[in-house]
Amino acid sequence: MSFVPHTPADRQAMLDAVGVRSIEELFEPIDPAVRFPKLNLPPRLSEPEVSREVARLAAKNLNASTATTFLGAGNYNHYVPATVHQILFRGEFYTAYTPYQPEVAQGTLQVIYEFQTMVAALTGMEVANASMYDGATALAEGALLAVSIPRKRTKIVVMGTLHPHYLSVLRTYTHGLAAEVVELPLPTDTLRATPDMLDGHLDETTACVVMQSPNFFGRIEDIAGFAEKAHAVGARLVVSTYPIALGLLKSPGELGADIVTAEGQSLGNAQSFGGPVVGLLACKQELVRQMPGRLVGVTVDSEGKRGFVLALQTREQHIRREKATSNICTNQGLNALAATVYMASLGPSGLRQVALLCYHKAHYLAERIAALDGWSVVGEGPFFNEFAVRAPRDPKEINRALAQEGIIGGYPLGEVDERLSDMMLVATTELNTRESIDGFVAALERLS
């Protein structure tokens, strides 16, 4: 592929479009002191010197590989089996791109097909796709999927316990569209939404109800109850979930969900300071024609041999822009491959074992924290591996002190709602040992 830079005529056309005469005029609003900074670079270094310097800088980071962590809030420190990296870094996969040519991309296409199959089984849905960016965009795409069905329904009702970042992305996605987002309040006392909170908010214009279980605060919500409420007015239920929890809990599909989305980072993808990650999206068969992203199918060639191909991917996603069902089409294939190898390596029993470890360790931690003077567990209903606690002093101050002891604390909930400024969201995974949990509790007691 050749690189074709912009010609002078191209640049001038772009300048004309934004109403300026030159590049210099385009940058005039920027403070002259910082407009064209000069780089004060050190003398050139040898490769070993650069390696040592980068390692020195990296050592300043407090990360989950070298510290004990109790931070979750949507990104979790799970163990990644060696088989994941062994397959992930094979050149055939690591350098692969969009599988438009099935005759040379059978391996990539088969992986995506296996990924879809496992996601569908995990979520209890009939069909799943690939290429969602992350849990937030997958959730937004799932809500728009419900709106895109031609039924003249444009209202999206969102429960207050949805991940706040997901809600922010949903607002962005719906900005400028003929869709109304109704945000229900957060129940700050229980941190758990209930189906009766929908009363008075559902009508014949409601396209879908959006909820999360386990929710942002770790509480397991009544998916079946929400499904009954939504379906009673002809709306669909969109559920955001946590894949690891589905190793233990009933799938959203079994409980009546129409569309299921999730953040797939916990399935064999490292935390990597926040990304890249991969979104999961699955739905009922009746919605497949409006599904965004990629869908790989299996067929046979002229000789009767099995083959994999891209199926039901509408060209409008690439060329019709604002008229498209969705503009998501970039391939998250490498992250999806990691999730595929992870799920295949663990299998149903392995995933259940991981889920059980997460569950029991979180409940052990909750019991220990609840016994501390000045501390309490906040919220009602069952939780999986994450829960909120009320602290006797500012959680941010506590986290700074914990960091000095090599411990990554929980998520300060004042970041999302000032009414929760005295609360911290803590999480455990299978990697938190009893010793690390006891050490965390002891540190909290000292810092109280």
Side-chain angles (χ1 to χ4, degrees):
M1 181 184 294
S2 61
F3 171 67
V4 182
H6 298 308
T7 66
D10 292 333
R11 295 191 185 97
Q12 190 58 52
M14 289 187 281
L15 292 171
D16 292 342
V18 297
V20 296
R21 292 185 297 272
S22 65
I23 295 291
E24 290 72 23
E25 185 179 347
L26 177 66
F27 292 130
E28 276 183 6
I30 301 174
D31 186 340
V34 296
R35 190 178 301 166
F36 297 109
K38 293 183 179 179
L39 298 178
N40 184 23
L41 297 176
R44 62 183 180 273
L45 302 174
S46 67
E47 184 175 333
E49 290 173 319
V50 171
S51 180
R52 283 194 295 270
E53 176 63 11
V54 170
R56 184 187 68 81
L57 294 173
K60 293 183 177 182
N61 291 321
L62 187 65
N63 63 80
S65 297
T66 58
T68 301
T69 178
F70 296 88
L71 179 62
N75 191 297
Y76 301 92
N77 183 39
H78 290 287
Y79 180 70
V80 179
T83 51
V84 173
H85 288 150
Q86 185 69 24
I87 301 298
L88 197 65
F89 295 143
R90 286 186 63 92
E92 304 95 315
F93 288 123
Y94 202 59
T95 61
Y97 188 58
T98 307
Y100 286 134
Q101 296 175 276
E103 65 275 14
V104 295
Q106 282 298 292
T108 298
L109 287 165
Q110 181 174 352
V111 164
I112 297 175
Y113 181 82
E114 301 290 353
F115 170 77
Q116 294 170 179
T117 302
M118 293 180 193
V119 170
L122 189 64
T123 58
M125 302 308 291
E126 294 172 320
V127 60
N129 71 355
S131 295
M132 297 291 100
Y133 299 141
D134 52 29
T137 53
L139 185 279
E141 290 284 348
L144 290 185
L145 171 58
V147 172
S148 68
I149 304 301
R151 300 181 300 155
K152 296 183 179 179
R153 290 175 177 258
T154 57
K155 184 193 291 186
I156 301 170
V157 180
V158 184
M159 305 313 298
T161 52
L162 180 70
H163 195 305
H165 296 170
Y166 292 14
L167 176 57
S168 179
V169 171
L170 178 60
R171 291 178 188 141
T172 301
Y173 262 60
T174 54
H175 181 73
L177 298 181
E180 175 192 7
V181 178
V182 177
E183 302 173 17
L184 300 190
L186 166 66
T188 55
D189 52 343
T190 65
L191 302 180
R192 183 173 185 254
T194 54
D196 64 312
M197 294 177 180
L198 291 171
D199 293 344
H201 297 285
L202 303 181
D203 54 35
E204 67 278 0
T205 68
T206 306
C208 63
V209 172
V210 175
M211 63 167 294
Q212 183 174 359
S213 183
N215 67 27
F216 175 65
F217 304 96
R219 298 288 164 174
I220 299 167
E221 301 200 337
D222 181 8
I223 295 176
F226 282 102
E228 183 178 355
K229 288 276 188 179
H231 295 160
V233 296
R236 292 188 167 90
L237 181 65
V238 181
V239 177
S240 176
T241 191
Y242 178 16
I244 296 297
L246 300 184
L248 182 61
L249 307 177
K250 275 191 175 182
S251 70
E254 293 177 88
L255 297 171
D258 300 286
I259 299 166
V260 182
T261 69
E263 170 55 66
Q265 174 272 326
S266 59
L267 302 175
N269 283 272
Q271 290 185 292
S272 301
F273 295 96
V277 289
V278 59
L280 313 183
L281 192 153
C283 66
K284 291 183 176 179
Q285 181 71 31
E286 65 194 54
L287 304 176
V288 69
R289 287 283 178 179
Q290 300 295 323
M291 178 179 271
R294 291 201 172 86
L295 190 69
V296 172
V298 63
T299 185
V300 294
D301 63 14
S302 59
E303 298 178 355
K305 297 178 181 177
R306 185 181 71 163
F308 300 90
V309 294
L310 287 176
L312 295 179
Q313 186 188 28
T314 55
R315 285 289 295 169
E316 68 182 23
Q317 293 192 71
H318 303 283
I319 62 177
R320 297 189 68 195
R321 302 195 180 192
E322 73 276 3
K323 295 181 181 179
T325 301
S326 166
N327 291 119
I328 274 196
C329 54
T330 297
N331 195 357
Q332 292 290 99
L334 200 64
N335 301 92
L337 170 61
T340 306
V341 178
Y342 180 88
M343 289 187 284
S345 298
L346 267 67
S349 60
L351 191 63
R352 177 177 174 79
Q353 184 64 25
V354 171
L356 282 169
L357 288 170
C358 294
Y359 176 88
H360 287 300
K361 291 182 178 189
H363 284 73
Y364 172 71
L365 174 59
E367 291 175 3
R368 292 294 317 276
I369 292 179
L372 296 177
D373 290 339
W375 291 83
S376 60
V377 175
V378 185
E380 294 181 3
F383 62 90
F384 176 58
N385 75 319
E386 198 163 20
F387 56 94
V389 295
R390 180 170 282 111
R393 52 185 284 208
D394 187 350
K396 292 182 180 179
E397 292 181 6
I398 293 174
N399 279 341
R400 283 192 287 269
L402 287 172
Q404 297 301 314
E405 300 189 29
I407 300 173
I408 301 172
Y411 184 80
L413 289 172
E415 294 287 327
V416 299
D417 193 317
E418 62 181 12
R419 295 172 297 173
L420 310 179
S421 59
D422 61 344
M423 297 184 197
M424 175 190 292
L425 187 65
V426 295
T428 65
T429 70
E430 73 281 10
L431 293 180
N432 292 101
T433 63
R434 177 185 286 268
E435 291 74 21
S436 70
I437 292 173
D438 290 342
F440 177 54
V441 173
L444 294 181
E445 187 172 25
R446 288 194 302 274
L447 297 172
S448 300

